[in-house]
Amino acid sequence: LVECPDCAGRLLRVHATADTWSATLVHRVSCPRCEGVITLPEDVAPGDLVTCCGHEYRLTLEFGAFAAEELPR
């Protein structure tokens, strides 16, 4: 993971193949309880669950950005 100095704190995941380099945007969300930042895995999808602060949150995707929402009780 590499932080882009020109991209307002965005992280990039850098990949190397036999003869090329490529980079993809790393998605991150804020924890609804502690405001900590959760770095999401590369294969993340809307509806996946993430854990922080001992609680699980469901990921939503709106306008190209993920958000962590508390599960209904």
Side-chain angles (χ1 to χ4, degrees):
L1 299 179
V2 177
E3 187 168 351
C4 176
D6 299 319
C7 302
R10 295 282 196 161
L11 284 181
L12 300 172
R13 187 172 278 119
V14 179
H15 303 272
T17 61
D19 59 349
T20 62
W21 289 86
S22 64
T24 56
L25 182 63
V26 175
H27 294 285
R28 299 187 288 179
V29 295
S30 296
C31 174
R33 290 189 182 246
C34 76
E35 295 302 318
V37 177
I38 304 166
T39 300
L40 303 177
E42 191 170 10
D43 60 349
V44 69
D48 287 354
L49 298 177
V50 294
T51 303
C52 188
C53 306
H55 295 89
E56 281 193 320
Y57 306 99
R58 184 164 314 279
L59 294 174
T60 60
L61 181 65
E62 296 276 338
F63 306 106
F66 282 95
E69 295 185 354
E70 293 198 40
L71 297 172
R73 293 181 180 225

